[in-house]
Amino acid sequence: MDNNLETDADSVERDDYTAEQPVDLRRQRLRIGSDNPEISSDTDTEQGTSAGDDGALDGSDPYGVGEQNLAGPIEPSADEVAAVREARLAMLLKPAAGVHTDPARWGWRGRANAFGFRLRPHRRSTEVAYRQAVERIRQPLPGTPVVVVANPKGGSGKTPAAVLLSALLGRHRGGRVVAWDAHEACGSLAARAACCPSEHTVWDVLGHAHELCTANADASGLARFLQRQPTLDEILASDQTPGGSVCIGRDECAAILAVLRRHREVVIVDTGNNDRAEGFRWAITHATQLVVPIIGRRDVIVSALRLLDGIAEDGYEDLAARAVITVCGAGPQQSGIVETLAAAGISRVVAVPFDPGLASGERIVVSRMGRDSVRAWTEVAATVADSVAETLAARHLPMQTRFVPDTRWAAGADETTHHRLLTYALHEGQFSRTQKTRTSGSHAPVDDFDPGW
């Protein structure tokens, strides 16, 4: 009888014990967004966590990075913008030290210098042009520029372009450059980078986003989840889970950029092929600079022009107008593509040679590439740096006017739609035989023209 009373008393004590709730470890979510049923559950939702002073999770900030980090980058100060303007003016007035005076390493002068001579390169040689491009890459870029590489057409060269831009910017700017694979799932950026030994992906960054955005975050905390490259840049791989159903969306992109902006200086974004996906549209919205790679195929060019027109019609006309186009073709075909793009009002076009290593699908190692390819892609990176710096230098101008003459479009200024794609069609259609670049209103009515697409 006494034993039964003692047992009942113990039962009452256990029922009244509310200091902590029992935890089923098998149902805990180890990383947000995991698609593994063994480690994902609705525990976080059941516990009703909300964003408080400690930056916990809520509906508007599901990864706890903080509203101040989601608000966007802080605009560069007037002093920083003035420094950018002064640096660009100095590059125009005189070359950087050593560009013309350092001994040549290319050509017959370079071969002669190998025997102890100190011959300077020719002032208009490709070696001097390459050195000038390197100095342009090194120019000051305040803030954290976001360079988005996009073309909805698959096989256009987005991933190789992202890898090379990240590698060359990292090599010449001393690191602190990250290439982020913003595909919805299973992107190929990690497979094309020079080396990616670990299996960390964007989900690992999202799982630690809150602590990485705190004031006490370690300077090397983010590096645990990135893949260090020989060129000092880093790769953030996309989700590589086969057969998963969770995709990177708008909230995930916002949290990832909030983390990268706090720890790195330049972010290169490799987008997917679905231009209507949340991640793709979010990247375009937050882009500082747009890079559109194309190859010598008509469908790729049409896809690029449609992308630029869509961006302009969504209210980002300046982003579309400043886009850098990389053209990979061969011989006369390449020059014809450049001429066609110029007829469509696109001025920042950089031609790059065909490289079998880039087209093979193997890992891209800059030190193994040919000199012509490295030189051409260095010019692409320099053009991107120039465009970003020009955008910053245009801010806080001493004198501004609302009147800006614009004659880039073939149609009048009152047209509501843009005509990059239309101008390309006219240039490639019946008028290309006699008038290659003219697209004035004196031609046949647009409604009567059928490009045959």
Side-chain angles (χ1 to χ4, degrees), residues 260-347:
L260 297 181
R261 185 185 293 121
R262 289 180 62 92
H263 295 270
R264 296 298 180 265
E265 294 180 358
V266 180
V267 179
I268 311 295
V269 182
D270 181 18
T271 58
N273 299 331
N274 183 6
D275 58 348
R276 300 184 182 182
E278 288 187 2
F280 192 105
R281 298 182 68 85
W282 184 94
I284 295 297
T285 303
H286 293 79
T288 308
Q289 177 63 42
L290 179 65
V291 178
V292 183
I294 63 175
I295 58 177
R297 284 172 36 185
R298 186 172 180 272
D299 56 344
V300 176
I301 300 174
V302 170
S303 176
L305 294 175
R306 281 180 175 152
L307 172 67
L308 294 175
D309 279 340
I311 293 173
E313 292 174 3
D314 286 342
Y316 303 98
E317 167 60 29
D318 185 59
L319 180 65
R322 293 184 292 102
V324 175
I325 313 296
T326 66
V327 179
C328 179
Q333 182 186 20
Q334 189 178 62
S335 60
I337 295 174
V338 173
E339 182 182 352
T340 302
L341 293 175
I346 300 174
S347 58

Side-chain angles (χ1 to χ4, degrees), residues 38-110:
E38 296 182 359
I39 63 175
S40 62
S41 69
D42 296 333
T43 305
D44 296 334
T45 305
E46 293 172 358
Q47 292 176 352
T49 57
S50 60
D53 296 336
D54 58 349
L57 308 181
D58 69 354
S60 60
D61 184 12
Y63 295 95
V65 298
E67 294 183 0
Q68 70 279 7
N69 296 313
L70 293 176
I74 300 175
E75 288 293 326
S77 64
D79 294 337
E80 291 176 326
V81 174
V84 173
R85 195 176 298 115
E86 291 296 329
R88 293 189 55 78
L89 181 60
M91 287 192 300
L92 294 175
L93 294 178
K94 62 179 181 179
V99 170
H100 294 303
T101 59
D102 285 350
R105 296 184 179 181
W106 298 1
W108 68 268
R109 289 181 173 87

Side-chain angles (χ1 to χ4, degrees), residues 243-263:
S245 59
V246 179
C247 295
I248 296 296
R250 187 178 300 272
D251 292 336
E252 288 74 19
C253 288
I256 291 172
L257 183 59
V259 173
L260 297 181
R261 185 185 293 121
R262 289 180 62 92
H263 295 270

Side-chain angles (χ1 to χ4, degrees), residues 16 310 318 397:
D16 295 339
D318 185 59
L397 289 176

